[in-house]
Amino acid sequence: MNIQRWTFTAVILGGIVLSAGLAAPPARADQGSLRAEVGIYYDELSPYGDWVDDSQYGSAWCPRNVGSTWRPYSDGRWVDSEYGWTWASEEPFGWATYHYGRWAFDPRYGWIWVPGTVWAPAWVSWQYGGGYVGWAPLPPSVGFDLNVGIRLGGLSLSAVIQPRDYIFVSERGFLEPRIGRNAVPRVRNQELWRRARNVTNYTVVNNRVINRGITIVNIERATRHKVPRFRIADVDSRAAAGVDRDRLRIYRPPAARLRSIDVAVRNDGGVRPGATRERGRDRRPEAAPNVRSRRPEAKPEPRGQERRNQVGTQPQPKPNKRPGTKPAERPNHQARTKPADRPRSRPPVVQNRPHRPEPPKVNKPRPHGANPGTETNRQPRHQNRPKANPPQDRREQRPAAKPKRPHGGGGGGGGGGNAKPKPHGHG
């Protein structure tokens, strides 16, 4: 009895330990190689989150002690500066995660940050329309080049960013501090996303990334206040970063320390969805082909619905008309049939009438002395038939016509009968 009890207890404890190990994020055993890949970010961000090894993006960082509804670019405010719309974060790790690299949502860890080395006032996608402003973090598949700008590789922002990832606020509350508190509930994101349009706009001026997505005139018209302009001031430590009355203090590490990040070479160029990563210094990914330029393949017709008597009617390639060149050979399944091999058209179907039996022949009696072999002795068929209701002469049934009265005067020989002549005149 005691052995069974101990066995049952050991099984329960083993299940608890196993479930706890599966729920915890996998830790990188070799911390030396991790520091070589992420460089300065490892020591600066480890107190506020965990480093994970993602199968697609490589070394990534996820924040710790955040709620289930937390989203990037939610705890802070938007200010206008010489770099355009700049995000001023209230979080201790915001100097790195909102100005370098990209964000992605992982179903196991939640939101993860992929390191980068190109600084920008904010890496977001803008949506505007219907009295609302929305923004969402750019995914790692979106790269950036100072000579080209945003690199999508044939993709569109509507395809790589889901509507649920956006944060929408009204135009009137766009300049409020802690703007995430005024965000519209996420259940309305789909509705607001359909009414808005994409206004993402990044440019490069004097090797500086400018973020001009929302027009300042529209914000001033909605808030009825002039948008203040903040001056950018560089500081030497992340603890000194913050916002003053008209100054925004930002912390940017030296360029020499940023060059030691191996994963940044691949992440700054844009990581294509489904791409396989390599250990060490990765190569810059090639741009994905534009799927919109492909022609749709012809779908075969269902069996039993093919057109009849239409042999060889599929579209054939046009012959090459250049002199000295042979026409392109046709594939075997599209070979044109010869006129002699084509099946003849089916003859018209004639509907047969129902067969009517002929009346039986009756041997009629012939007159005595008639020779059936001579034509003169033959008698017509209606000669011996009795006439039914013979026609009568209607002239015999008409009454006799009355004599006409004379129009002249006096009694002469021309008058006849007892007709009295009419008197003419008086006396």
Side-chain angles (χ1 to χ4, degrees), residues 230-354:
F230 285 77
R231 294 182 295 105
I232 298 296
D234 294 335
V235 294
D236 298 334
S237 63
R238 58 178 179 80
V243 180
D244 287 338
R245 291 184 177 180
D246 58 348
R247 187 177 59 169
L248 176 62
R249 302 186 305 272
I250 60 175
Y251 170 64
R252 286 184 280 192
R257 302 186 64 181
L258 295 177
R259 294 194 194 100
S260 61
I261 302 175
D262 291 344
V263 295
V265 178
R266 176 173 178 262
N267 297 337
D268 290 338
V271 182
R272 300 275 79 80
T276 57
R277 65 183 181 88
E278 300 177 0
R279 289 291 182 180
R281 188 173 296 275
D282 299 325
R283 298 179 180 180
R284 185 179 297 275
E286 298 180 359
N290 191 355
V291 296
R292 296 183 179 180
S293 60
R294 297 180 181 178
R295 296 182 180 179
E297 300 180 357
K299 297 182 180 180
E301 296 183 359
R303 180 175 295 180
Q305 298 184 6
E306 299 87 354
R307 297 181 179 180
R308 298 181 180 178
N309 301 333
Q310 298 291 334
V311 180
T313 56
Q314 297 181 356
Q316 304 294 339
K318 297 182 179 180
N320 192 354
K321 297 182 179 180
R322 294 182 179 179
T325 58
K326 298 181 180 181
E329 298 181 358
R330 304 179 185 274
N332 296 332
H333 65 279
Q334 293 185 355
R336 186 183 296 275
T337 57
K338 299 180 180 180
D341 298 336
R342 294 185 181 181
R344 297 180 180 180
S345 60
R346 300 176 60 182
V349 179
V350 181
Q351 185 178 5
N352 297 328
R353 297 181 180 179

Side-chain angles (χ1 to χ4, degrees), residues 170-225:
S170 62
E171 291 181 288
R172 298 180 179 179
F174 181 70
L175 300 178
E176 296 293 332
R178 298 292 180 94
I179 194 173
R181 300 177 181 178
N182 301 328
V184 179
R186 194 179 298 183
V187 294
R188 296 188 56 192
N189 279 19
Q190 187 72 22
E191 171 193 353
L192 299 177
W193 181 78
R194 292 178 179 177
R195 294 164 52 185
R197 68 181 185 277
N198 190 349
V199 293
T200 306
N201 183 16
Y202 282 88
T203 58
V204 179
V205 178
N206 297 329
N207 293 331
R208 296 184 303 179
V209 181
I210 307 300
N211 177 20
R212 289 294 183 190
I214 306 299
T215 307
I216 297 180
V217 177
N218 296 338
I219 301 301
E220 292 179 347
R221 185 186 303 111
T223 58
R224 298 181 181 180
H225 295 286

